[in-house]
Amino acid sequence: MRTQVVIIGSGPAGLLLGQLLTNCGIDNIILERASREHVLSRIRAGVLEEGTVGMLDEAGVGARMHREGLPHDGFDIAFDGRRHRIDLHRLTGGKRVMVYGQTEVTQDLMEKRAQTGARSVYQAENVKPHDFDGESPFVTYEKDGTTHRIDCDFIAGCDGFHGVSRKSVPESSIDLYERIYPFGWLGIIAEVPPAGHELIYANHPRGFALCSMRSTHRSRYYVQVPTGEKVDDWTDERFWDELRARLPSASAEQVTTGPSIEKSIAPLRSFVAEPMRFGRLFLAGDAAHIVPPTGAKGLNLAASDIRYLFDGLREYYEEKSAAGIDAYSGRALARVWKAERFSWWMTNTLHKFPDQGAFGQKIQHAELDYLFQSEAALTMLAENYVGLPY
Ligand code: RFL
Ligand code: PHB
Protein backbone atom coordinates (compact mmCIF):
# COMPACT_ATOMS: atom_id res chain seq x y z
CA MET A 1 0.00 0.00 0.00
CA ARG A 2 1.14 3.57 -0.61
CA THR A 3 -0.06 7.00 0.54
CA GLN A 4 1.42 10.48 0.83
CA VAL A 5 1.04 10.94 4.62
CA VAL A 6 0.52 8.21 7.23
CA ILE A 7 -1.11 9.64 10.34
CA ILE A 8 -0.66 7.64 13.53
CA GLY A 9 -3.51 8.31 15.98
CA SER A 10 -7.12 9.30 15.52
CA GLY A 11 -7.44 11.88 18.30
CA PRO A 12 -8.22 15.52 17.47
CA ALA A 13 -4.70 16.17 16.10
CA GLY A 14 -4.69 13.22 13.69
CA LEU A 15 -8.29 13.67 12.54
CA LEU A 16 -7.90 17.41 11.97
CA LEU A 17 -4.69 16.98 9.97
CA GLY A 18 -6.32 14.17 7.98
CA GLN A 19 -9.34 16.30 7.08
CA LEU A 20 -7.31 19.35 6.04
CA LEU A 21 -5.04 17.17 3.86
CA THR A 22 -8.00 15.34 2.31
CA ASN A 23 -9.72 18.66 1.54
CA CYS A 24 -6.80 19.72 -0.63
CA GLY A 25 -6.31 16.35 -2.29
CA ILE A 26 -3.30 15.07 -0.29
CA ASP A 27 -3.78 11.35 0.23
CA ASN A 28 -3.51 10.10 3.83
CA ILE A 29 -4.27 7.05 5.96
CA ILE A 30 -5.01 7.15 9.70
CA LEU A 31 -3.85 4.21 11.84
CA GLU A 32 -5.46 4.04 15.28
CA ARG A 33 -4.75 1.50 17.99
CA ALA A 34 -8.13 1.75 19.74
CA SER A 35 -11.65 1.20 18.40
CA ARG A 36 -13.77 4.10 17.14
CA GLU A 37 -16.10 3.64 20.13
CA HIS A 38 -13.22 3.76 22.61
CA VAL A 39 -11.88 7.01 21.11
CA LEU A 40 -15.35 8.54 21.35
CA SER A 41 -15.86 7.42 24.95
CA ARG A 42 -12.92 9.46 26.29
CA ILE A 43 -14.13 12.56 28.12
CA ARG A 44 -11.51 15.27 27.90
CA ALA A 45 -11.26 18.90 26.89
CA GLY A 46 -14.09 21.39 26.84
CA VAL A 47 -12.79 24.85 25.92
CA LEU A 48 -11.81 25.83 22.37
CA GLU A 49 -9.81 28.91 21.40
CA GLU A 50 -10.97 30.98 18.42
CA GLY A 51 -8.01 29.67 16.41
CA THR A 52 -9.19 26.09 17.03
CA VAL A 53 -12.76 27.04 16.09
CA GLY A 54 -11.40 28.60 12.88
CA MET A 55 -9.50 25.43 11.99
CA LEU A 56 -12.57 23.26 12.54
CA ASP A 57 -14.47 25.62 10.21
CA GLU A 58 -11.66 25.41 7.65
CA ALA A 59 -11.82 21.61 7.85
CA GLY A 60 -15.56 21.84 7.10
CA VAL A 61 -16.77 20.41 10.42
CA GLY A 62 -17.89 23.56 12.26
CA ALA A 63 -21.66 23.50 11.68
CA ARG A 64 -22.76 21.52 14.76
CA MET A 65 -20.19 23.33 16.94
CA HIS A 66 -21.73 26.70 16.01
CA ARG A 67 -25.25 25.33 16.63
CA GLU A 68 -24.65 23.53 19.91
CA GLY A 69 -21.45 25.05 21.35
CA LEU A 70 -21.60 27.77 23.99
CA PRO A 71 -19.56 30.94 23.27
CA HIS A 72 -18.19 32.37 26.54
CA ASP A 73 -17.07 35.99 26.96
CA GLY A 74 -15.46 35.49 30.35
CA PHE A 75 -14.93 33.25 33.37
CA ASP A 76 -14.64 33.65 37.14
CA ILE A 77 -11.82 33.06 39.57
CA ALA A 78 -13.02 32.51 43.14
CA PHE A 79 -10.79 33.03 46.15
CA ASP A 80 -11.18 34.34 49.70
CA GLY A 81 -14.91 33.66 49.48
CA ARG A 82 -15.42 36.04 46.52
CA ARG A 83 -15.78 35.69 42.75
CA HIS A 84 -13.86 37.90 40.33
CA ARG A 85 -14.83 37.95 36.67
CA ILE A 86 -12.21 37.89 33.91
CA ASP A 87 -13.88 39.75 31.06
CA LEU A 88 -12.12 38.02 28.18
CA HIS A 89 -14.08 39.92 25.56
CA ARG A 90 -13.19 43.37 26.89
CA LEU A 91 -9.59 42.55 27.82
CA THR A 92 -8.73 41.04 24.44
CA GLY A 93 -10.55 43.46 22.17
CA GLY A 94 -13.47 41.21 21.31
CA LYS A 95 -12.21 37.63 21.59
CA ARG A 96 -14.09 34.79 23.27
CA VAL A 97 -13.80 31.01 23.75
CA MET A 98 -16.18 28.22 22.74
CA VAL A 99 -17.33 25.56 25.19
CA TYR A 100 -17.77 22.40 23.08
CA GLY A 101 -16.57 18.98 24.21
CA GLN A 102 -13.60 17.18 22.69
CA THR A 103 -15.87 14.14 22.26
CA GLU A 104 -18.10 16.20 19.95
CA VAL A 105 -15.11 17.59 18.02
CA THR A 106 -13.83 14.04 17.50
CA GLN A 107 -17.25 12.77 16.45
CA ASP A 108 -17.72 15.62 13.93
CA LEU A 109 -14.28 14.93 12.43
CA MET A 110 -14.88 11.16 12.27
CA GLU A 111 -18.23 11.63 10.51
CA LYS A 112 -16.74 14.00 7.96
CA ARG A 113 -13.89 11.58 7.28
CA ALA A 114 -16.33 8.74 6.75
CA GLN A 115 -18.27 10.92 4.24
CA THR A 116 -15.15 11.77 2.25
CA GLY A 117 -14.15 8.10 2.06
CA ALA A 118 -10.59 8.72 3.32
CA ARG A 119 -8.99 5.57 4.70
CA SER A 120 -8.75 4.87 8.45
CA VAL A 121 -7.74 1.64 10.17
CA TYR A 122 -9.03 1.23 13.73
CA GLN A 123 -7.70 -1.44 16.10
CA ALA A 124 -4.41 -1.41 14.21
CA GLU A 125 -1.94 -3.28 16.42
CA ASN A 126 1.79 -2.89 16.77
CA VAL A 127 1.99 0.24 14.58
CA LYS A 128 5.66 1.07 13.85
CA PRO A 129 7.25 3.93 11.91
CA HIS A 130 10.38 2.91 9.93
CA ASP A 131 13.24 4.62 8.06
CA PHE A 132 11.99 8.14 8.71
CA ASP A 133 15.55 9.44 8.71
CA GLY A 134 15.84 8.51 5.01
CA GLU A 135 13.95 9.33 1.80
CA SER A 136 11.56 6.35 1.85
CA PRO A 137 9.79 5.98 5.18
CA PHE A 138 7.13 3.33 5.79
CA VAL A 139 4.82 2.22 8.56
CA THR A 140 3.93 -1.34 9.50
CA TYR A 141 0.96 -2.55 11.55
CA GLU A 142 -0.95 -5.72 12.30
CA LYS A 143 -4.63 -6.25 11.78
CA ASP A 144 -6.52 -9.52 12.21
CA GLY A 145 -3.25 -11.43 12.44
CA THR A 146 -1.76 -10.03 9.19
CA THR A 147 1.17 -7.59 8.97
CA HIS A 148 0.65 -4.66 6.57
CA ARG A 149 3.13 -2.14 5.20
CA ILE A 150 2.33 1.40 4.00
CA ASP A 151 4.99 3.31 2.08
CA CYS A 152 4.69 7.09 2.31
CA ASP A 153 6.39 10.48 1.97
CA PHE A 154 5.82 11.57 5.58
CA ILE A 155 4.65 10.19 8.93
CA ALA A 156 2.62 12.37 11.33
CA GLY A 157 2.92 11.09 14.91
CA CYS A 158 -0.40 12.23 16.41
CA ASP A 159 -0.61 9.31 18.84
CA GLY A 160 -0.76 11.08 22.18
CA PHE A 161 1.52 10.93 25.20
CA HIS A 162 1.69 7.11 25.34
CA GLY A 163 2.06 6.61 21.58
CA VAL A 164 4.76 4.85 19.61
CA SER A 165 5.99 7.77 17.47
CA ARG A 166 8.01 9.68 20.07
CA LYS A 167 9.35 6.40 21.46
CA SER A 168 10.67 5.43 18.00
CA VAL A 169 13.15 8.32 18.03
CA PRO A 170 16.65 7.48 19.30
CA GLU A 171 17.11 8.87 22.83
CA SER A 172 20.19 10.81 21.78
CA SER A 173 18.16 12.83 19.23
CA ILE A 174 15.44 14.09 21.57
CA ASP A 175 15.40 16.34 24.64
CA LEU A 176 12.63 15.86 27.19
CA TYR A 177 11.48 18.44 29.75
CA GLU A 178 9.07 17.40 32.47
CA ARG A 179 7.36 18.50 35.68
CA ILE A 180 5.00 16.20 37.55
CA TYR A 181 2.59 17.85 40.00
CA PRO A 182 1.82 16.19 43.34
CA PHE A 183 -1.93 16.08 42.63
CA GLY A 184 -4.54 15.16 40.03
CA TRP A 185 -8.04 16.27 39.04
CA LEU A 186 -11.00 14.15 40.00
CA GLY A 187 -13.63 14.97 37.39
CA ILE A 188 -17.30 14.08 37.01
CA ILE A 189 -19.99 14.66 34.45
CA ALA A 190 -23.61 14.86 35.53
CA GLU A 191 -26.82 15.44 33.63
CA VAL A 192 -27.68 18.60 35.61
CA PRO A 193 -27.68 22.31 34.68
CA PRO A 194 -24.32 24.04 35.36
CA ALA A 195 -23.80 26.23 38.44
CA GLY A 196 -23.66 29.36 36.28
CA HIS A 197 -23.39 30.58 32.70
CA GLU A 198 -19.59 30.72 32.80
CA LEU A 199 -16.74 28.63 34.22
CA ILE A 200 -15.56 29.13 37.81
CA TYR A 201 -11.94 28.33 38.77
CA ALA A 202 -11.71 28.24 42.59
CA ASN A 203 -8.65 28.57 44.81
CA HIS A 204 -9.61 27.36 48.28
CA PRO A 205 -7.66 26.25 51.38
CA ARG A 206 -9.09 22.72 50.80
CA GLY A 207 -7.73 22.72 47.22
CA PHE A 208 -8.62 23.78 43.70
CA ALA A 209 -12.07 23.25 42.16
CA LEU A 210 -13.49 23.95 38.69
CA CYS A 211 -17.09 24.31 37.58
CA SER A 212 -17.39 23.69 33.85
CA MET A 213 -20.03 22.36 31.50
CA ARG A 214 -20.72 20.56 28.27
CA SER A 215 -24.12 22.13 27.57
CA THR A 216 -26.92 23.98 29.36
CA HIS A 217 -28.07 20.68 30.87
CA ARG A 218 -24.77 18.81 31.35
CA SER A 219 -22.17 19.84 33.94
CA ARG A 220 -18.48 19.02 34.22
CA TYR A 221 -16.87 19.52 37.65
CA TYR A 222 -13.37 18.89 38.96
CA VAL A 223 -11.69 18.92 42.38
CA GLN A 224 -7.94 18.70 43.08
CA VAL A 225 -7.00 15.44 44.84
CA PRO A 226 -3.61 14.18 46.08
CA THR A 227 -1.65 11.83 43.80
CA GLY A 228 -2.56 8.22 44.56
CA GLU A 229 -6.20 8.94 45.39
CA LYS A 230 -8.62 6.18 44.25
CA VAL A 231 -11.80 6.99 42.29
CA ASP A 232 -13.63 4.23 44.16
CA ASP A 233 -13.15 6.13 47.41
CA TRP A 234 -15.22 8.97 46.00
CA THR A 235 -18.97 8.44 46.14
CA ASP A 236 -21.05 11.04 44.30
CA GLU A 237 -22.14 12.43 47.66
CA ARG A 238 -18.55 12.88 48.83
CA PHE A 239 -17.68 14.60 45.54
CA TRP A 240 -20.59 17.06 45.74
CA ASP A 241 -19.82 17.89 49.39
CA GLU A 242 -16.16 18.53 48.60
CA LEU A 243 -16.96 20.63 45.54
CA ARG A 244 -19.42 22.82 47.43
CA ALA A 245 -17.00 23.23 50.34
CA ARG A 246 -14.45 24.76 47.93
CA LEU A 247 -16.80 27.31 46.35
CA PRO A 248 -18.01 30.66 47.71
CA SER A 249 -21.33 29.96 49.47
CA ALA A 250 -23.46 31.78 46.87
CA SER A 251 -21.93 29.59 44.11
CA ALA A 252 -22.19 26.41 46.20
CA GLU A 253 -25.91 27.06 46.46
CA GLN A 254 -26.17 27.20 42.66
CA VAL A 255 -24.73 23.68 42.25
CA THR A 256 -27.41 21.19 41.21
CA THR A 257 -26.37 17.68 42.22
CA GLY A 258 -27.31 14.42 40.54
CA PRO A 259 -25.86 11.02 39.69
CA SER A 260 -22.50 11.14 37.90
CA ILE A 261 -22.34 9.54 34.45
CA GLU A 262 -18.54 9.61 34.38
CA LYS A 263 -15.94 9.87 37.12
CA SER A 264 -12.17 9.65 36.72
CA ILE A 265 -8.86 11.05 37.97
CA ALA A 266 -6.36 12.69 35.60
CA PRO A 267 -2.77 13.25 36.78
CA LEU A 268 -1.24 16.69 36.15
CA ARG A 269 1.97 16.99 34.19
CA SER A 270 3.96 19.49 32.12
CA PHE A 271 6.05 17.86 29.38
CA VAL A 272 7.80 18.95 26.18
CA ALA A 273 9.82 16.89 23.68
CA GLU A 274 12.23 18.80 21.44
CA PRO A 275 12.51 18.93 18.48
CA MET A 276 9.14 17.98 16.94
CA ARG A 277 10.58 16.78 13.62
CA PHE A 278 12.93 13.87 12.93
CA GLY A 279 13.57 13.62 9.21
CA ARG A 280 10.24 12.57 7.69
CA LEU A 281 8.53 12.00 11.05
CA PHE A 282 6.66 14.89 12.69
CA LEU A 283 5.24 14.83 16.23
CA ALA A 284 2.07 16.83 16.91
CA GLY A 285 -0.27 17.31 19.89
CA ASP A 286 0.08 15.28 23.09
CA ALA A 287 2.71 13.07 21.39
CA ALA A 288 5.08 16.04 21.73
CA HIS A 289 3.81 17.93 24.76
CA ILE A 290 1.47 17.81 27.75
CA VAL A 291 0.11 20.70 29.77
CA PRO A 292 -1.81 20.51 33.05
CA PRO A 293 -5.49 21.14 32.19
CA THR A 294 -5.74 24.34 34.27
CA GLY A 295 -5.26 26.65 31.27
CA ALA A 296 -7.48 24.54 28.93
CA LYS A 297 -4.65 24.43 26.41
CA GLY A 298 -4.01 20.76 25.47
CA LEU A 299 -6.45 20.33 22.60
CA ASN A 300 -5.82 23.88 21.44
CA LEU A 301 -2.08 23.22 21.21
CA ALA A 302 -2.79 20.09 19.20
CA ALA A 303 -4.75 22.32 16.79
CA SER A 304 -2.00 24.96 16.52
CA ASP A 305 0.61 22.26 15.81
CA ILE A 306 -1.63 21.06 13.00
CA ARG A 307 -1.93 24.62 11.67
CA TYR A 308 1.86 24.76 11.17
CA LEU A 309 2.23 21.15 10.02
CA PHE A 310 -0.63 21.30 7.52
CA ASP A 311 0.60 24.61 6.07
CA GLY A 312 4.08 23.09 5.70
CA LEU A 313 2.83 19.92 4.01
CA ARG A 314 0.55 21.84 1.65
CA GLU A 315 3.44 24.10 0.66
CA TYR A 316 5.56 21.01 0.06
CA TYR A 317 3.03 19.42 -2.29
CA GLU A 318 1.52 22.51 -3.94
CA GLU A 319 4.52 24.83 -4.15
CA LYS A 320 7.35 22.27 -4.08
CA SER A 321 8.86 24.17 -1.14
CA ALA A 322 10.23 22.54 2.03
CA ALA A 323 10.39 25.90 3.88
CA GLY A 324 7.21 25.22 5.90
CA ILE A 325 8.10 21.72 7.02
CA ASP A 326 11.64 22.88 7.83
CA ALA A 327 10.22 25.66 10.03
CA TYR A 328 7.59 23.37 11.65
CA SER A 329 9.38 22.36 14.83
CA GLY A 330 10.66 25.85 15.66
CA ARG A 331 7.32 27.56 15.00
CA ALA A 332 5.31 24.98 16.93
CA LEU A 333 7.67 24.93 19.93
CA ALA A 334 7.69 28.74 20.25
CA ARG A 335 3.92 28.61 20.80
CA VAL A 336 4.04 25.40 22.86
CA TRP A 337 6.43 26.87 25.44
CA LYS A 338 4.25 29.94 25.94
CA ALA A 339 1.23 27.71 26.58
CA GLU A 340 3.39 25.56 28.91
CA ARG A 341 4.32 28.69 30.86
CA PHE A 342 0.71 29.84 31.08
CA SER A 343 -0.63 26.43 32.16
CA TRP A 344 2.14 26.10 34.77
CA TRP A 345 1.34 29.61 36.07
CA MET A 346 -2.43 28.92 36.27
CA THR A 347 -1.68 25.63 38.07
CA ASN A 348 0.70 27.27 40.55
CA THR A 349 -1.66 30.16 41.22
CA LEU A 350 -4.81 28.14 41.79
CA HIS A 351 -3.79 24.84 43.48
CA LYS A 352 -2.67 23.94 46.99
CA PHE A 353 0.79 22.35 47.03
CA PRO A 354 1.74 19.97 49.88
CA ASP A 355 5.02 21.85 50.48
CA GLN A 356 3.58 25.33 50.01
CA GLY A 357 3.96 26.43 53.63
CA ALA A 358 2.87 29.74 55.11
CA PHE A 359 5.21 31.73 52.84
CA GLY A 360 3.85 30.05 49.69
CA GLN A 361 0.28 30.74 50.84
CA LYS A 362 1.04 34.43 51.31
CA ILE A 363 2.70 34.69 47.89
CA GLN A 364 -0.27 32.99 46.20
CA HIS A 365 -2.65 35.33 47.96
CA ALA A 366 -0.58 38.34 46.86
CA GLU A 367 -0.49 37.04 43.28
CA LEU A 368 -4.30 36.82 43.10
CA ASP A 369 -4.77 40.15 44.91
CA TYR A 370 -2.44 41.80 42.41
CA LEU A 371 -4.17 40.14 39.48
CA PHE A 372 -7.52 41.71 40.27
CA GLN A 373 -6.03 45.15 40.84
CA SER A 374 -3.93 45.30 37.70
CA GLU A 375 -5.33 45.76 34.22
CA ALA A 376 -1.94 44.63 32.86
CA ALA A 377 -2.01 41.37 34.85
CA LEU A 378 -5.63 40.71 33.86
CA THR A 379 -4.75 41.33 30.21
CA MET A 380 -1.87 38.84 30.45
CA LEU A 381 -4.27 36.22 31.79
CA ALA A 382 -7.01 36.98 29.24
CA GLU A 383 -4.81 37.04 26.13
CA ASN A 384 -3.24 33.70 27.04
CA TYR A 385 -6.58 32.11 27.92
CA VAL A 386 -8.23 33.02 24.61
CA GLY A 387 -5.09 31.78 22.81
CA LEU A 388 -1.97 33.51 21.53
CA PRO A 389 -1.82 34.24 17.79
CA TYR A 390 -0.47 31.53 15.50
P1 RFL B 1 -5.03 12.08 21.89
O1 RFL B 1 -6.39 12.69 22.04
O2 RFL B 1 -4.44 11.41 23.07
O3 RFL B 1 -5.09 11.08 20.66
C1 RFL B 1 -4.04 10.20 20.38
C2 RFL B 1 -4.61 8.97 19.67
O4 RFL B 1 -3.54 8.10 19.32
C3 RFL B 1 -3.90 6.76 19.63
N1 RFL B 1 -2.69 5.94 19.83
C4 RFL B 1 -2.20 5.11 18.90
N2 RFL B 1 -2.61 4.80 17.67
C5 RFL B 1 -1.88 3.89 16.98
N3 RFL B 1 -0.77 3.27 17.48
C6 RFL B 1 -0.32 3.57 18.71
N4 RFL B 1 0.77 2.98 19.21
C7 RFL B 1 -1.05 4.53 19.49
N5 RFL B 1 -0.90 5.05 20.71
C8 RFL B 1 -1.89 5.90 20.92
C9 RFL B 1 -4.75 6.89 20.89
O5 RFL B 1 -5.60 5.76 21.07
C10 RFL B 1 -5.52 8.17 20.59
O6 RFL B 1 -6.74 7.91 19.93
O7 RFL B 1 -3.96 13.19 21.41
P2 RFL B 1 -4.13 14.50 20.50
O8 RFL B 1 -4.88 14.19 19.24
O9 RFL B 1 -2.79 15.09 20.44
O10 RFL B 1 -5.11 15.47 21.33
C11 RFL B 1 -4.69 16.03 22.55
C12 RFL B 1 -5.89 16.23 23.48
O11 RFL B 1 -6.60 15.01 23.56
C13 RFL B 1 -5.47 16.70 24.88
O12 RFL B 1 -4.42 17.63 24.81
C14 RFL B 1 -6.64 17.36 25.65
O13 RFL B 1 -7.65 16.42 25.92
C15 RFL B 1 -6.16 17.98 26.96
N6 RFL B 1 -7.24 18.54 27.76
C16 RFL B 1 -7.77 19.80 27.47
N7 RFL B 1 -7.34 20.48 26.39
C17 RFL B 1 -7.91 21.69 26.05
O14 RFL B 1 -7.49 22.30 25.04
N8 RFL B 1 -8.94 22.25 26.77
C18 RFL B 1 -9.43 21.62 27.88
O15 RFL B 1 -10.39 22.13 28.46
C19 RFL B 1 -8.83 20.37 28.29
N9 RFL B 1 -9.28 19.70 29.35
C20 RFL B 1 -7.74 17.85 28.86
C21 RFL B 1 -8.78 18.46 29.65
C22 RFL B 1 -7.28 16.57 29.19
C23 RFL B 1 -7.80 15.90 30.28
N10 RFL B 1 -7.30 14.59 30.55
C24 RFL B 1 -8.11 13.48 30.82
C25 RFL B 1 -5.91 14.30 30.28
C26 RFL B 1 -9.29 17.82 30.75
C27 RFL B 1 -8.80 16.55 31.09
C28 RFL B 1 -9.37 15.90 32.33
C1 PHB C 1 -13.49 21.03 30.93
O1 PHB C 1 -14.63 21.49 30.73
O2 PHB C 1 -13.27 19.82 30.88
C2 PHB C 1 -12.38 21.95 31.26
C3 PHB C 1 -12.60 23.31 31.23
C4 PHB C 1 -11.56 24.19 31.55
C5 PHB C 1 -10.33 23.67 31.89
C6 PHB C 1 -10.11 22.30 31.89
C7 PHB C 1 -11.14 21.43 31.57
O3 PHB C 1 -9.33 24.52 32.22
Side-chain angles (χ1 to χ4, degrees):
M1 232 188 308
R2 197 187 147 81
T3 188
Q4 289 170 297
V5 183
V6 172
I7 299 171
I8 307 178
S10 153
L15 286 164
L16 182 57
L17 177 63
Q19 197 53 51
L20 292 166
L21 292 173
T22 301
N23 290 351
C24 63
I26 301 170
D27 194 56
N28 61 92
I29 300 180
I30 293 184
L31 299 178
E32 163 63 50
R33 182 175 56 187
S35 67
R36 227 178 272 267
E37 296 68 37
H38 179 83
V39 172
L40 284 175
S41 70
R42 292 191 298 230
I43 309 286
R44 288 183 165 185
V47 178
L48 308 181
E49 296 171 358
E50 279 185 0
T52 308
V53 168
M55 288 195 67
L56 293 168
D57 283 336
E58 183 181 336
V61 297
R64 189 164 72 101
M65 170 182 66
H66 289 292
R67 254 191 344 264
E68 297 178 14
L70 306 171
H72 281 197
D73 286 343
F75 66 91
D76 277 7
I77 291 182
F79 98 113
D80 254 5
R82 296 214 328 269
R83 277 166 66 170
H84 306 261
R85 184 162 188 268
I86 315 292
D87 188 338
L88 295 173
H89 198 253
R90 181 183 69 76
L91 289 160
T92 62
K95 297 211 166 94
R96 46 172 63 101
V97 291
M98 175 77 90
V99 173
Y100 188 64
Q102 178 168 334
T103 317
E104 315 307 323
V105 171
T106 311
Q107 189 180 329
D108 295 345
L109 283 162
M110 279 184 179
E111 278 174 13
K112 179 81 177 174
R113 189 167 177 90
Q115 282 163 19
T116 56
R119 288 175 286 178
S120 312
V121 181
Y122 284 85
Q123 293 172 300
E125 287 166 38
N126 209 7
V127 175
K128 275 203 192 110
H130 302 268
D131 288 3
F132 48 81
D133 49 352
E135 290 298 303
S136 312
F138 63 99
V139 179
T140 53
Y141 68 95
E142 288 159 27
K143 173 88 183 168
D144 303 326
T146 310
T147 303
H148 303 263
R149 169 179 169 141
I150 312 178
D151 292 281
C152 56
D153 301 330
F154 297 105
I155 303 167
C158 302
D159 47 353
F161 183 64
H162 300 287
V164 65
S165 301
R166 191 182 66 251
K167 291 177 192 143
S168 307
V169 174
E171 269 178 41
S172 57
S173 310
I174 192 164
D175 290 320
L176 306 179
Y177 302 85
E178 185 167 49
R179 170 151 305 183
I180 293 178
Y181 300 88
F183 42 72
W185 280 16
L186 168 64
I188 68 159
I189 288 206
E191 214 56 62
V192 291
H197 294 302
E198 294 180 344
L199 273 59
I200 307 169
Y201 291 78
N203 173 315
H204 188 273
R206 296 179 69 93
F208 169 80
L210 171 60
C211 306
S212 182
M213 65 196 71
R214 287 293 174 273
S215 67
T216 51
H217 50 84
R218 184 175 276 203
S219 301
R220 177 74 162 147
Y221 290 108
Y222 297 96
V223 293
Q224 169 190 351
V225 293
T227 301
E229 199 81 358
K230 301 266 175 301
V231 177
D232 291 345
D233 292 338
W234 285 84
T235 58
D236 286 356
E237 198 182 10
R238 182 176 172 205
F239 181 91
W240 292 120
D241 287 348
E242 189 59 42
L243 174 74
R244 284 182 296 200
R246 295 182 187 191
L247 298 174
S249 50
S251 309
E253 283 164 22
Q254 299 291 313
V255 172
T256 309
T257 62
S260 65
I261 51 176
E262 201 267 349
K263 194 187 287 163
S264 56
I265 296 180
L268 264 66
R269 176 197 306 269
S270 297
F271 172 86
V272 181
E274 284 190 5
M276 288 169 59
R277 177 197 183 173
F278 307 88
R280 288 175 173 262
L281 169 69
F282 300 94
L283 301 181
D286 279 15
H289 41 72
I290 295 289
V291 284
T294 328
K297 289 284 160 260
L299 169 58
N300 293 301
L301 274 185
S304 62
D305 288 353
I306 297 306
R307 167 85 278 154
Y308 302 130
L309 182 54
F310 167 64
D311 287 346
L313 289 170
R314 189 177 47 184
E315 254 173 67
Y316 178 87
Y317 286 109
E318 290 180 359
E319 297 164 29
K320 310 278 176 267
S321 160
I325 53 175
D326 288 346
Y328 168 67
S329 179
R331 292 173 76 191
L333 282 166
R335 192 169 190 282
V336 164
W337 274 112
K338 291 185 199 89
E340 290 283 346
R341 184 208 68 83
F342 176 65
S343 305
W344 164 87
W345 176 81
M346 282 278 277
T347 304
N348 279 311
T349 306
L350 295 175
H351 290 73
K352 291 297 157 206
F353 286 72
D355 59 355
Q356 200 163 16
F359 180 81
Q361 294 272 13
K362 288 282 186 190
I363 292 290
Q364 204 179 62
H365 196 278
E367 175 98 46
L368 284 162
D369 221 14
Y370 168 65
L371 179 67
F372 298 115
Q373 284 165 14
S374 161
E375 187 76 359
L378 280 173
T379 305
M380 181 286 286
L381 169 57
E383 71 186 12
N384 279 278
Y385 194 86
V386 299
L388 296 175
Y390 287 176

